[in-house]
Amino acid sequence: MTFQITVQPSGHQFSCDDDETVLSAAMRAGVGLPYGCKNGACSSCKGKVLSGSITHRPHQRRALTEEEEAAGVSLFCCAIPHSDLVLQAREVAGSGDFPVKKMPSRVASMEKVAPDVIVISLQLPATEVLEYRAGQYIEFMLRDGKRRSYSMASAPGAGPITLHIRHMPGGLFTDQVFSTMKERDILRFEGPLGTFFVREDSDKPMVLLASGTGFAPIKAIVEQMKATGSKRQMVLYWGGRRPHDLYMDALCRQWEQEMPNFRYVPVVSDAQPEDSWNGRKGYVHRAAIDDLPDMSGYQVYACGAPIVVESAKRDFVQQCGLPEEEFYADAFTTEADLAQP
């Protein structure tokens, strides 16, 4: 059975089968609902069901609480319709501008930039071009139908696609990257995916918040803003447990020298005496709060571990007056995150 889905306030409509999710049907129809992980863990696709009946596939309660669900709030990546629906959602302009493709790629280079981080460059077939927005991600298609998602760390049109891959011991893909993968290996992926990119209809100053390899899409965004000569004010807060987790610290300091509208604040949460760290300490989002107690006129772009993204959104909105609709995020969910109840 097929149902009709209407999105308010845009009035856009699309059809959805009774065995697919609302998000999958919207993506197929080119309707730009916001999304991130597509598996019920990050809450990026949250919206409201104004009329109609749905059920949810298994998801994480931190992404959608029982109270929210009772109030009609939905995770569209997990929502299965049982009738025609009217949804309330903030659509993302431009999210469907570039085609999603499946293509092979060759590992062009591998560089270990931290004890547990490798930067991989991918070479595409000579006949292929991947158009995307800075901040989007690709999904590697692995054996047995499994997939792994990684944000592109290079700005569109800036040479090979680069990815920042952190080793997750026991991880199906990252164990391979850190042990047997070599240059010239072939990897298949699908992309571009995701709605984490700069909203260009705004000139508000931007807070860029990254933890660990959440720096990857932020790097692409900064490089794109630099390439286009954007004058928007940007401040990057990049957090890691130890100084070596800020594996491209020198590049960020170089941006600060080259871009008058860019400021960089590195933050370390667990520095050891041998690190000789004299910079900011503690949680990265708390550093932003200390510096910017009033965020009412800002946009925030945050990427990293779910706990960092969730804490930042809660505290920026509640303590700093950030409008909730001006918080844009991409939470890096691992298989370990998804296994949590």
Side-chain angles (χ1 to χ4, degrees):
M1 185 175 291
T2 300
F3 299 111
Q4 187 79 1
I5 315 295
T6 303
V7 183
Q8 298 294 5
S10 71
H12 289 151
Q13 294 186 321
F14 59 95
S15 60
C16 183
D17 295 334
D18 59 4
D19 62 349
E20 70 175 333
T21 66
V22 169
L23 177 62
S24 294
M27 292 175 67
R28 179 166 48 80
V31 175
L33 296 183
Y35 71 95
C37 70
K38 300 192 298 182
N39 54 32
C42 78
S43 80
S44 295
C45 66
K46 194 180 288 185
K48 194 159 189 177
V49 178
L50 300 179
S51 69
S53 174
I54 63 163
T55 56
H56 281 107
R57 288 179 178 171
H59 58 278
Q60 293 207 353
R61 272 300 167 200
R62 71 180 182 206
L64 182 69
T65 66
E66 292 179 358
E67 293 77 14
E68 288 176 317
E69 196 168 355
V73 178
S74 171
L75 288 177
F76 296 138
C77 72
C78 299
I80 305 295
H82 299 289
S83 68
D84 292 344
L85 302 176
V86 178
L87 312 177
Q88 184 179 64
R90 182 179 45 149
E91 290 181 56
V92 181
S95 60
D97 285 357
F98 302 130
V100 176
K101 300 179 178 181
K102 294 179 181 178
M103 65 176 71
S105 63
R106 187 184 300 276
V107 176
S109 67
M110 303 175 67
E111 180 188 3
K112 196 169 188 178
V113 295
D116 59 349
V117 178
I118 284 179
V119 174
I120 288 183
S121 295
L122 299 179
Q123 179 183 348
L124 304 185
T127 56
E128 291 282 5
V129 174
L130 184 69
E131 296 180 290
Y132 63 95
R133 295 183 182 278
Q136 289 189 294
Y137 67 90
I138 59 174
E139 283 185 345
F140 286 119
M141 298 179 288
L142 311 180
R143 294 186 297 274
D144 303 325
K146 291 184 171 62
R147 292 179 172 235
R148 293 295 184 269
S149 302
Y150 291 94
S151 294
M152 291 174 278
S154 43
I161 291 171
T162 61
L163 312 170
H164 298 176
I165 298 180
R166 181 179 297 281
H167 189 203
M168 306 295 291
L172 175 68
F173 183 67
T174 65
D175 274 357
Q176 175 191 349
V177 171
F178 278 76
S179 59
T180 60
M181 185 174 289
K182 59 188 182 302
E183 291 182 5
R184 301 189 62 78
D185 281 358
I186 300 297
L187 298 170
R188 289 188 59 81
F189 69 80
E190 183 175 32
L193 298 167
T195 57
F196 183 68
F197 48 77
V198 173
R199 287 4 183 214
E200 295 176 354
D201 59 351
S202 173
D203 60 359
K204 288 184 176 182
M206 300 161 56
V207 174
L208 307 172
L209 185 81
S211 70
T213 51
F215 173 70
I218 299 295
K219 174 180 176 289
I221 286 172
V222 174
E223 290 181 341
Q224 178 71 10
M225 302 284 278
K226 182 183 178 196
T228 59
S230 173
K231 303 302 183 191
R232 285 180 72 175
Q233 294 295 312
M234 295 177 281
V235 54
L236 165 62
Y237 291 86
W238 186 11
R241 293 183 64 250
R242 304 279 298 278
H244 62 64
D245 292 322
L246 309 180
Y247 49 85
M248 290 189 174
D249 177 79
L251 174 64
C252 298
R253 295 181 188 278
Q254 180 182 327
W255 288 338
E256 200 169 33
Q257 295 298 314
E258 296 172 347
M259 303 166 65
N261 57 323
F262 176 85
R263 188 162 63 89
Y264 169 52
V265 183
V267 184
V268 171
S269 64
D270 192 23
Q272 300 300 303
E274 61 267 27
D275 293 330
S276 301
W277 177 254
N278 296 316
R280 300 282 286 273
K281 298 176 182 178
Y283 294 130
V284 64
H285 85 285
R286 297 300 312 180
I289 290 172
D290 290 343
D291 292 350
L292 302 168
D294 180 3
M295 295 188 189
S296 58
Y298 283 76
Q299 280 188 340
V300 173
Y301 294 86
C303 188
I307 186 64
V308 176
V309 171
E310 293 159 11
S311 300
K313 182 175 183 179
R314 180 194 64 231
D315 293 348
F316 289 176
V317 171
Q318 293 180 0
Q319 299 179 28
C320 302
L322 177 76
E324 189 168 358
E325 66 274 11
E326 295 288 24
F327 186 91
Y328 305 97
D330 184 9
F332 278 8
T333 53
T334 66
E335 287 301 299
D337 293 324
L338 300 179
Q340 295 177 10

